[in-house]
Amino acid sequence: MGRKWRIAVGALAGVTGAVTWALAAAIYQPFMQPDGFWTDSATGATLPELASNNTYWPRDIRQLAILLALGGVLLICRSDPRGLAVGGVATVGWLGADLWLDRIDVAGGTTAAWLAAGGLAVFAATAVLAHRASAGADGSPLAGHVTATVAALLSVTTMLVSTPWDEPVTAPDQVAVENALAVLKAALVVMFVVTALALVVRTTAQVRRVAVFVGVAALGAWLAVGGDGGANPLGMAAMFVGATLAVAAARDVPPTRLLPVAIVSGAALLPAFAALYLIGMGVGSAMTVVAGNPPVNGADSDLALTFCGLALGLLLASLSHLLTRAAPARPHAEPTPVPNGG
């Protein structure tokens, strides 16, 4: 991909991230956040409303949008480690500001417009600083592979974001939210995929190889969240492994080298899911406390889905890079001197 196209895609990722973040923060977070009290019919006690599974989906959308904007920055600076450091610092600050804005309960269309403008300003400044810090360098292949794999896995993680309501949803206000979430998810998924591919794909041959595994990930996502929205284990595995293979397939390795990636990535999923579910609930609960939001009902879980997707992306990126790295070159043996006869 040429320099101009790379910058254009990176800028589009930043714009999409900033606008999506603003809408989720000022429009949908206030709508979803529990408010008021309820009366226990058994005791007559008045208790504050609590959240439930997936109530805080706007938080996941906000954080995914911020990470998409980071992907745009890394695309512009070609995943140079110095640019990555600049982008990483800005992203941590943006995530912290996001929780603070959640805590002070920003809301309204005008506020959303101002937040979008602020997000665009942060993205633009970060992209300029990261580009200058990278000094036009081509970047690190390792950093490019890791960031592309994380972006690919965040694209399928986005598919798992859902509302807390049981299907079918019929209330007009809830239908409107469901439709809005579908649009926000579609924008994030498309831009994460485009960003991931733009980071690693350079030739037509790579496009053909990568397209096969993008199809596998898409099929897995349909199996995992299609229909009644239940989590299909086979679909879950296919979409995460397929996304990992899509980036690994862009590397200059024979197709047979991808088989170990599929096996090891698939085998790592179950223990990774178990560990990240437990850790992710702790992280989610901590973010709910920091944001000053009502806690989630004790019978449900407050899972930090974006954190889990990010951690899983870093894990599978490391494994796939290790399994597809080039073999070290063997040193040439010095010719054995032949003694002169005579």
Side-chain angles (χ1 to χ4, degrees):
M1 176 176 285
R3 178 174 176 271
K4 291 183 178 179
W5 276 106
R6 190 181 66 252
I7 292 177
V9 172
L12 183 58
V15 171
T16 303
V19 172
T20 302
W21 168 73
L23 290 173
I27 303 298
Y28 298 106
Q29 175 67 32
F31 180 86
M32 295 302 302
Q33 187 168 312
D35 187 26
F37 297 84
W38 64 282
T39 302
D40 189 333
S41 58
T43 64
T46 300
L47 303 170
E49 292 284 354
L50 298 176
S52 60
N53 286 327
N54 306 323
T55 292
Y56 294 129
W57 67 260
R59 181 180 67 198
D60 286 312
I61 291 294
R62 296 187 333 249
Q63 293 173 346
L64 287 164
I66 293 171
L67 292 178
L68 174 61
L70 173 62
V73 170
L74 299 181
L75 189 54
I76 290 172
C77 72
R78 298 185 179 184
S79 294
D80 180 81
R82 290 165 294 184
L84 176 59
V86 172
V89 170
T91 299
V92 171
W94 193 345
L95 290 169
D98 172 72
L99 290 177
W100 175 72
L101 291 168
D102 189 357
R103 186 176 184 88
I104 64 175
D105 295 327
V106 295
T110 302
T111 301
W114 280 108
L115 289 180
L120 288 171
V122 171
F123 165 74
T126 305
V128 169
L129 291 174
H131 186 266
R132 289 182 177 177
S134 65
D138 285 337
S140 161
L142 172 59
H145 178 85
V146 170
T147 53
T149 304
V150 169
L153 265 70
L154 288 177
S155 72
V156 293
T157 299
T158 303
M159 298 295 296
L160 301 178
V161 180
S162 62
T163 63
W165 306 309
D166 295 329
E167 298 288 348
V169 176
T170 56
D173 56 346
Q174 294 180 356
V175 170
V177 170
E178 290 277 354
N179 293 339
L181 175 57
V183 172
L184 296 178
K185 285 169 60 174
L188 290 174
V189 168
V190 170
M191 286 312 305
F192 269 128
V193 171
V194 172
T195 300
L197 299 184
L199 283 164
V200 293
V201 173
R202 297 290 181 269
T203 67
T204 304
Q206 288 177 321
V207 171
R208 289 195 293 267
R209 292 198 301 268
V210 167
V212 174
F213 297 107
V214 170
V216 171
L219 177 61
W222 179 78
L223 291 173
V225 301
D228 61 359
N232 180 293
L234 178 61
M236 292 276 286
M239 71 180 190
F240 283 109
V241 174
T244 303
L245 289 171
V247 177
R251 306 199 73 190
D252 188 19
V253 296
T256 53
R257 294 281 299 277
L258 298 177
L259 181 59
V261 176
I263 294 173
V264 172
S265 298
L269 285 179
L270 183 58
F273 281 160
L276 288 175
Y277 183 77
L278 296 175
I279 299 172
M281 285 196 298
V283 173
S285 297
M287 288 192 293
T288 298
V289 171
V290 170
N293 293 333
V296 171
N297 189 317
D300 295 326
S301 61
D302 189 1
L303 183 64
L305 191 59
T306 302
F307 166 81
C308 295
L310 177 61
L312 188 61
L314 292 172
L315 172 64
L316 297 187
S318 302
L319 292 175
S320 61
H321 186 271
L322 180 65
L323 293 169
T324 56
R325 65 179 179 177
R330 295 182 178 180
H332 294 289
E334 293 293 333
T336 304
V338 178
N340 290 328

